[in-house]
Amino acid sequence: MGQMYRIEDEETLIGRTSQAKIRINDDGISRRHARIVYDGNVVRIEDLKSANGTMVNEQPIQGELVLKDGDKVRIGVTTVLKFTYHDDIEESFQQQMYEAALRDGLTKAFNKKYFADRLESELAYARRHKAPLSLVMFDVDHFKKVNDTYGHLAGDYVLARLAKVAQGAVRSEDVFARYGGEEFGVICRAVELENAALFAERLRLLIESSSFESEGARLQITVSLGVAAFPETPAVTITDLIQAADAALYEAKRRGRNQVIVRWPEQAD
């Protein structure tokens, strides 16, 4: 909700394919659903023989249609795109409002609500299409000790720095979020459990080797990670998948921290 797409290319593809600039996973959306064509003067939309068609202001379009300011384009079952003209100031304002609604203020990672919404959407898609979906949950080892020893400002610095390091390791199509406190999550779209485990280990090593310094003090920061995936964990709801990843995370802490524990199929309930 609220995400903006600037129309500046001659052609902008809308659909489920990874080649689409406006990529949407939603019921009823074709891989190549529609395209927007911009010739420098007017903007047109064309349905690409999608299974369920494209509607503008609740009217199905045939061939190409010139878009007017304020037009509402319905793609699939629940996705509605609004076409509008903005100057740079208005675009910047809208983008800031969008970011504020979705991002954690301290770490700039996505917030818990966005994380839950996306995980619900991705799990529904994975179940419907029998596709893999992995979840990595991790938190900072001995974070209370950091706060108690160096103060809460140092703790805030650690969280912000860690998020920046982690964000650099996450693919653009994945979702990195602050789940709460010192705990973070990564939704790995279309990634099988084994590959998610490899990613988690790379992330662990990256954080362990990264520099954390606060007021001249060098801090040794490590994380414990838990990995779970669908269909290995037969999750019906996102709670099932989160609980599986969290259980693995807490097992990593129990075994001494700074390690990855994977929820393999034989461990699933």
Side-chain angles (χ1 to χ4, degrees), residues 43 57 66-72 82-86:
V43 179
N57 300 327
V66 175
L67 289 172
K68 303 183 298 296
D69 189 34
D71 278 349
K72 294 180 176 60
K82 180 181 179 181
F83 175 74
T84 187
Y85 291 97
H86 280 328

Side-chain angles (χ1 to χ4, degrees), residues 36-78:
I36 295 174
V37 180
Y38 175 50
D39 64 7
N41 295 305
V42 297
V43 179
R44 297 180 173 85
I45 188 167
E46 177 187 5
D47 183 74
L48 299 177
K49 298 180 180 179
S50 63
N52 295 298
T54 303
M55 303 181 74
V56 175
N57 300 327
E58 299 304 325
Q59 297 297 317
I61 63 172
Q62 304 291 335
E64 285 190 346
L65 179 72
V66 175
L67 289 172
K68 303 183 298 296
D69 189 34
D71 278 349
K72 294 180 176 60
V73 180
R74 181 178 294 279
I75 306 287
V77 177
T78 62

Side-chain angles (χ1 to χ4, degrees), residues 6 9 16 26 29 40 55 65 67 94 111 114 116 128 142 190 195 210 214 252-253 259 267:
R6 179 190 283 264
D9 298 329
R16 289 190 293 105
D26 190 10
I29 290 184
M55 303 181 74
L65 179 72
L67 289 172
Q94 293 290 344
N111 59 31
Y114 182 80
R128 186 166 59 248
H142 302 295
N195 288 332
S210 294
S214 178
K253 287 189 153 321
Q259 59 186 279
Q267 297 173 286

Side-chain angles (χ1 to χ4, degrees), residues 102-175:
L102 301 183
R103 300 278 182 179
D104 171 63
L106 174 64
T107 64
K108 310 307 177 188
F110 285 114
N111 59 31
K112 185 176 181 178
K113 182 182 185 306
Y114 182 80
F115 172 83
D117 289 345
R118 280 296 301 272
L119 185 56
E120 186 169 3
S121 173
E122 296 296 344
L123 180 59
Y125 180 87
R127 287 175 57 83
R128 186 166 59 248
H129 296 279
K130 296 181 173 57
L133 175 67
S134 294
L135 178 62
V136 178
M137 300 294 290
F138 66 94
D139 73 5
V140 184
D141 295 330
H142 302 295
F143 185 67
K144 184 177 184 301
K145 184 177 179 180
V146 172
N147 279 329
D148 291 345
T149 304
Y150 301 101
H152 289 280
L153 289 179
D156 287 349
Y157 157 76
V158 167
L159 294 178
R161 167 76 175 140
L162 182 145
K164 185 175 182 180
V165 170
Q167 187 68 67
V170 174
R171 303 179 307 167
S172 60
E173 60 264 43
D174 295 334
V175 176

